[in-house]
Amino acid sequence: MATGIRQLRLKSLLASWFVALRQVRNVSQNTVQSYKDAWRLVYRFGIDDRRLPSSGDWRLVQADRQFVLGFLCWLEQTRKCC
């Protein structure tokens, strides 16, 4: 992955993705809302558990493999999701 892409703000990438879901993939508003809710959990984990800055300052590079695995463990252990 190019260095420039890795430094993009995650929030702006997600905003574009949510628009594309509706316009290109024609998914329902409920589906988009579900994805947004899931990302709110990701941000909550990052800010509360990993002490990352506010969600608007996250870069794509911060959502690495270790972060994702940590988030999945957090969902199982803290949120009791399985």
Side-chain angles (χ1 to χ4, degrees):
M1 191 180 303
T3 303
I5 292 172
R6 293 176 55 143
Q7 293 304 319
L8 289 174
R9 290 188 190 275
L10 186 58
K11 196 168 192 170
S12 63
L13 290 173
L14 286 174
S16 298
W17 182 60
F18 292 136
V19 169
L21 283 174
R22 292 284 292 157
Q23 293 177 351
V24 177
R25 302 281 312 272
N26 198 30
V27 301
S28 73
Q29 185 58 39
N30 289 339
T31 299
V32 173
Q33 191 59 49
S34 293
Y35 286 145
K36 287 181 178 182
D37 290 343
W39 275 100
R40 282 187 194 95
L41 287 175
V42 171
Y43 284 140
R44 185 168 155 193
F45 165 74
I47 292 168
D48 293 347
D49 193 77
R50 296 296 168 102
R51 306 287 187 244
L52 292 176
S54 69
S55 61
D57 295 329
W58 287 23
R59 307 287 181 187
L60 183 59
V61 70
Q62 289 173 290
D64 62 5
R65 181 179 188 274
Q66 286 304 110
F67 179 86
V68 172
L69 292 174
F71 172 68
L72 294 174
C73 287
W74 178 80
L75 280 178
E76 288 182 345
Q77 296 169 1
T78 303
R79 306 263 314 169
K80 306 296 185 213
C81 298
C82 59

